[in-house]
Amino acid sequence: MTADLRHLRAFLAIAEEGTITRAAARLHLTQPALSRTLRQLEAHLNVRLVDRSTHHLRLTAAGIAFRDRAAAAVAGVDEVLDPTRAGTWPLRLGHAWSALGEHTTTLLRRWPRAHPETPLELLRVDERDAGLARGRVDVAILRGPVDLPDVVVESVLREPRVAAVPVDSALAARAALRLADLADQPIAVNTRSGTTTLELWPPDRIPAAAVEVANTDDWLAAITAGRAVGVTTTATAAMHPHPAVAYVPLTDAPDVTVHLAWREPPSHPAVADLLALTREICLG
């Protein structure tokens, strides 16, 4: 038997839902049919993907490794078969927040002049790898470490950190701040894709509270409402100016390195062109 796209979709539904029952309902299949499809895929690969020894299914180590590859393959097929994209092959550049900061507009304006035949799509994906693992993007802008198979990572920028505080707070009037100046405030922490954790502070000045958020919009909302202060980079100040938020330089927080990441072999023929243009813009 040869596995096909149907087997990959079945496996991904099981991986996401955690049970055969919910996955079968999602796919409008009977439970025996879905279980049979999973066994066929495992037989084809000659590896166990799902541990069925517990009531709540868990992926094996091989299943976890296979999940990202399967997701990327399904996303690629869906992209090719999307009728709204027929006749075009857009290059997808992903980011979790703030893209390339002040360099973003330059890239988006120069790309169509240099490569009019290839649309460039800038996509925000609220995941630490900006959608690269699941095949949602061809190149990702990443802040922070990433460990993905067959992925090349290259640093292109270093961004200073800044504090984000409500504009009517006493902190907003300061020319510069230190991490200790924020320690008495709740800290907005993006747990899905952010680079700030409470471990950024010295052990003797760790903030007492964190306000957990899942994306940049919720992070900004927490700060504008006066529920928290934040730590980010100059890219956020460039991409998300807000009349209720003041961005103040932080003098003792380490810079954040910005990376480009892509798969080898590349998932789009224009990846090399995008890398070259981005290096030219960011590195000069």
Side-chain angles (χ1 to χ4, degrees), residues 123-154:
L123 305 174
R124 194 183 100 180
V125 183
D126 292 319
E127 299 170 3
R128 195 162 298 278
D129 64 11
L132 187 63
R134 296 195 290 134
R136 296 184 62 184
V137 300
D138 302 297
V139 180
I141 302 166
L142 304 180
R143 294 171 175 86
V146 62
D147 183 16
L148 295 172
D150 304 320
V151 167
V152 180
V153 179
E154 176 184 327

Side-chain angles (χ1 to χ4, degrees), residues 152-233:
V152 180
V153 179
E154 176 184 327
S155 62
V156 291
L157 284 173
R158 289 181 65 84
E159 295 173 344
R161 277 188 165 98
V162 297
V165 300
V167 73
D168 57 352
S169 72
L171 296 173
R174 303 270 293 274
L177 294 169
R178 297 175 61 84
L179 287 169
D181 297 323
L182 307 177
D184 295 331
Q185 307 286 327
I187 307 298
V189 176
N190 182 340
T191 56
R192 294 197 64 179
S193 59
T195 57
T196 299
T197 69
L198 299 189
E199 295 176 356
L200 185 64
W201 276 258
D204 60 339
R205 291 296 287 156
I206 295 178
V211 176
E212 295 188 355
V213 298
N215 55 57
T216 300
D217 295 334
D218 293 346
W219 180 86
L220 279 169
I223 296 167
T224 58
R227 296 172 49 226
V229 299
V231 173
T232 184
T233 75

Side-chain angles (χ1 to χ4, degrees), residues 248-270:
V248 184
L250 275 172
T251 60
D252 60 344
D255 292 349
V256 172
T257 302
V258 181
H259 302 88
L260 294 178
W262 66 95
R263 290 192 175 277
E264 283 292 350
S267 56
H268 192 290

Side-chain angles (χ1 to χ4, degrees), residues 10-279:
F11 167 71
L12 290 174
I14 293 169
E16 292 172 8
E17 297 294 342
T19 71
I20 293 288
T21 301
R22 289 201 299 266
R26 170 174 155 182
L27 296 174
H28 305 290
L29 297 173
T30 65
Q31 294 180 43
L34 183 57
S35 295
R36 185 167 55 252
T37 301
L38 175 60
R39 289 195 301 270
Q40 291 171 344
L41 177 61
E42 291 178 323
H44 174 78
L45 298 173
N46 194 30
V47 67
R48 177 63 67 89
L49 299 173
V50 177
D51 181 0
R52 303 166 180 79
S53 62
T54 61
H55 178 69
H56 188 85
L57 301 183
R58 292 184 301 177
L59 298 185
T60 64
I64 292 172
F66 183 71
R67 177 182 56 195
D68 288 344
R69 295 172 55 203
V74 171
V77 172
D78 289 343
E79 176 82 11
V80 168
L81 297 180
D82 185 348
T84 66
R85 298 173 182 266
T88 67
W89 189 357
L91 178 61
R92 302 162 301 168
L93 175 61
H95 69 108
W97 49 274
S98 299
L100 289 170
E102 64 181 0
H103 302 289
T104 305
T105 300
T106 302
L107 176 64
L108 295 179
R109 289 184 175 179
R110 287 185 57 179
W111 177 264
R113 294 200 297 266
H115 303 280
E117 73 288 351
T118 304
L120 177 62
E121 295 184 350
L122 181 66
L123 305 174
R124 194 183 100 180
V125 183
D126 292 319
E127 299 170 3
R128 195 162 298 278
D129 64 11
L132 187 63
R134 296 195 290 134
R136 296 184 62 184
V137 300
D138 302 297
V139 180
I141 302 166
L142 304 180
R143 294 171 175 86
V146 62
D147 183 16
L148 295 172
D150 304 320
V151 167
V152 180
V153 179
E154 176 184 327
S155 62
V156 291
L157 284 173
R158 289 181 65 84
E159 295 173 344
R161 277 188 165 98
V162 297
V165 300
V167 73
D168 57 352
S169 72
L171 296 173
R174 303 270 293 274
L177 294 169
R178 297 175 61 84
L179 287 169
D181 297 323
L182 307 177
D184 295 331
Q185 307 286 327
I187 307 298
V189 176
N190 182 340
T191 56
R192 294 197 64 179
S193 59
T195 57
T196 299
T197 69
L198 299 189
E199 295 176 356
L200 185 64
W201 276 258
D204 60 339
R205 291 296 287 156
I206 295 178
V211 176
E212 295 188 355
V213 298
N215 55 57
T216 300
D217 295 334
D218 293 346
W219 180 86
L220 279 169
I223 296 167
T224 58
R227 296 172 49 226
V229 299
V231 173
T232 184
T233 75
T234 50
T236 303
M239 295 294 289
H240 297 281
H242 195 290
V245 176
Y247 294 100
V248 184
L250 275 172
T251 60
D252 60 344
D255 292 349
V256 172
T257 302
V258 181
H259 302 88
L260 294 178
W262 66 95
R263 290 192 175 277
E264 283 292 350
S267 56
H268 192 290
V271 164
D273 294 325
L274 178 61
L275 298 176
L277 182 58
T278 305
R279 292 187 194 107

